[in-house]
Amino acid sequence: MKHGKNYRNALKKYDSAALFSIPRAVELVKELKFAKFDETVEVHVSLKLGKNQSVRDTVVLPHQFRGEKRVLVFCKEDRVKEALEAGAAYAGAADYIEKVKGGWLDFDIAVATPDMMKDVGRLGMVLGRKGLMPNPKTGTVTADIGAAINELKKGRVEFRADKTGVVHLAIGKVSMDTDKIAENITILLTEIGRKKPADAKADFIQSVSISSTMGPGVWLDYKVGE
């Protein structure tokens, strides 16, 4: 891959093959940024997974860095008021299913009560492509609407390993305090470690790197501080 002048200059400022503690790695990412906008800090975790193994779950990051999340709740009419009072931007059944079928996607997260999944499942072609389909594994299919919305608004995000066994996740903004970004990273790595399959091999987490949106990657010694 060819990189621009700013990227190549950033690479000259540090040892790109070295491992750094989480706080120092975050500091480096902040020092290496060169874009004029507030870049996102991204983490990339390479896992040693077997052929039929996967990792997928959610984590509540202690320090938020995105705007207010618009939550759509698919629920029966008798629970609409409850959902709205809990903080949902939208709540309903057939009317919102029809809107989504028509291409309306003016929300960030979709939650559904179990009794709605038969109908919501028909939106798979629309919601699935956008990663918005409610799923019990991520806590977005639940009878406890209030708890789900509360956690989502606190910063609950989904992480999952892709086909190559790598978890990619936005973890902060370069404008955030170093300790806040570092804590988000530590919490994420702890949760990933807890999801290690029972029959997974040693060295489950093979490598971890972080980078800003435009900047080069910095390798973490993720065991430092554990």
Side-chain angles (χ1 to χ4, degrees):
M1 178 183 290
K2 293 183 178 180
H3 295 287
K5 181 180 178 181
N6 289 331
Y7 185 98
R8 295 195 302 272
N9 286 338
L11 279 174
K12 297 175 183 178
K13 297 179 180 180
Y14 74 115
D15 183 353
S16 60
L19 298 176
F20 298 91
S21 69
I22 294 175
R24 179 54 187 147
V26 174
E27 290 174 352
L28 266 177
V29 166
K30 292 163 75 75
E31 292 169 10
L32 296 171
K33 75 170 289 290
F34 53 81
K36 294 181 179 180
F37 61 90
D38 188 12
E39 297 180 62
T40 298
V41 179
E42 303 166 355
V43 63
H44 313 279
V45 186
S46 179
L47 306 177
K48 185 182 289 187
L49 294 172
K51 185 176 180 180
N52 297 315
Q53 294 175 337
S54 63
V55 168
R56 179 180 184 180
D57 208 333
T58 61
V59 60
V60 177
L61 299 177
H63 304 290
Q64 293 194 59
F65 54 94
R66 288 174 170 154
E68 184 77 10
K69 293 179 179 178
R70 298 163 300 173
V71 180
L72 164 63
V73 177
F74 292 106
C75 61
K76 302 292 186 181
E77 186 63 33
D78 61 344
R79 303 201 66 183
V80 168
K81 182 180 178 181
E82 175 190 351
L84 295 176
E85 289 181 345
Y90 314 101
D95 50 347
Y96 280 104
I97 288 174
E98 289 305 312
K99 286 187 70 172
V100 172
K101 279 183 180 179
W104 178 77
L105 292 170
D106 193 23
F107 54 94
D108 304 298
I109 303 169
V111 173
T113 53
D115 57 353
M116 286 297 301
M117 283 308 295
K118 180 179 179 181
D119 296 319
V120 174
R122 298 169 185 166
L123 301 176
M125 291 295 290
V126 179
L127 297 179
R129 286 197 298 266
K130 297 292 184 178
L132 294 170
M133 176 60 74
N135 190 309
K137 293 181 179 179
T138 61
T140 48
V141 175
T142 176
D144 195 341
I145 297 173
I149 294 174
N150 184 50
E151 279 206 353
L152 289 167
K153 286 184 171 290
K154 280 184 176 178
R156 190 178 80 187
V157 295
E158 177 185 357
F159 64 85
R160 64 188 302 177
D162 62 17
K163 293 180 179 179
T164 64
V166 180
V167 173
H168 304 278
L169 191 70
I171 207 75
K173 291 284 187 179
V174 292
S175 60
M176 290 171 61
D177 292 341
T178 295
D179 60 344
K180 291 182 178 180
I181 301 174
E183 186 176 0
N184 277 357
I185 294 170
T186 300
I187 293 295
L188 172 65
L189 294 180
T190 299
E191 288 303 312
I192 290 177
R194 288 175 179 167
K195 295 303 294 182
K196 177 181 178 180
D199 55 346
K201 299 178 181 179
D203 300 323
F204 173 58
I205 297 180
Q206 294 186 293
S207 65
V208 184
S209 67
I210 60 173
S211 65
S212 62
T213 304
M214 304 297 291
V218 177
W219 295 105
L220 302 189
D221 183 350
Y222 62 90
K223 295 180 181 178
V224 172
E226 286 189 343

